[in-house]
Amino acid sequence: MKIAYPEALPVSRRRDEIRAAMERHQVVVVCGDTGSGKTTQLPKIALEMGRGAGGKRIGCTQPRRLAATSVAKRVAEEMAVPLGAEVGYQIRFEDRTDRERTVVKFMTDG
């Protein structure tokens, strides 16, 4: 599993500042334009910080099934892991996660 950040994304360029805020505070609100990398890069920052270790998962809710599946696919590709292994998703009637391996899970809020 490789964690890399596309430098073209604003969130990637500010990851040190975001990581520091996440270390200091229980809740952090990140605001940015659509396409800034909030959804794809924040889970990777949390993973790099050690979140999702020891049997825990990083959970990311998405408003629609298509969003959950497409974002999971993109993050899995960026991390060079198979979809459903370290990065997966769960939507109604479909669970593409591995009980032992999944550390980042995208899901609908329903």
Side-chain angles (χ1 to χ4, degrees):
M1 177 170 52
K2 139 187 114 162
I3 299 177
Y5 301 94
E7 289 300 321
L9 297 175
V11 167
S12 294
R13 291 192 301 265
R14 300 192 67 182
R15 68 181 173 271
D16 292 336
E17 180 182 346
I18 293 167
R19 184 181 302 111
M22 290 171 70
E23 287 171 348
R24 286 192 311 268
H25 304 284
Q26 186 175 6
V27 176
V28 176
V29 177
V30 178
C31 298
D33 292 333
T34 300
S36 64
K38 300 178 303 291
T39 302
T40 57
Q41 305 311 303
L42 290 174
K44 294 192 307 187
I45 293 169
L47 187 60
E48 192 173 52
M49 292 172 60
R51 312 276 170 95
K56 296 182 180 179
R57 287 186 176 169
I58 298 165
C60 305
T61 58
Q62 295 296 307
R64 293 177 181 74
R65 292 183 213 179
L66 182 60
T69 58
S70 62
V71 172
K73 181 180 177 191
R74 171 150 180 195
V75 173
E77 287 172 358
E78 287 183 6
M79 293 177 59
V81 297
L83 180 61
E86 287 84 355
V87 178
Y89 66 86
Q90 182 175 359
I91 58 175
R92 191 175 197 179
F93 305 123
E94 188 175 359
D95 185 352
R96 292 275 314 263
T97 60
D98 182 284
R99 186 178 191 108
E100 303 296 321
R101 294 173 59 190
T102 301
V103 291
V104 178
K105 179 178 178 179
F106 291 90
M107 64 201 107
T108 53
D109 57 6

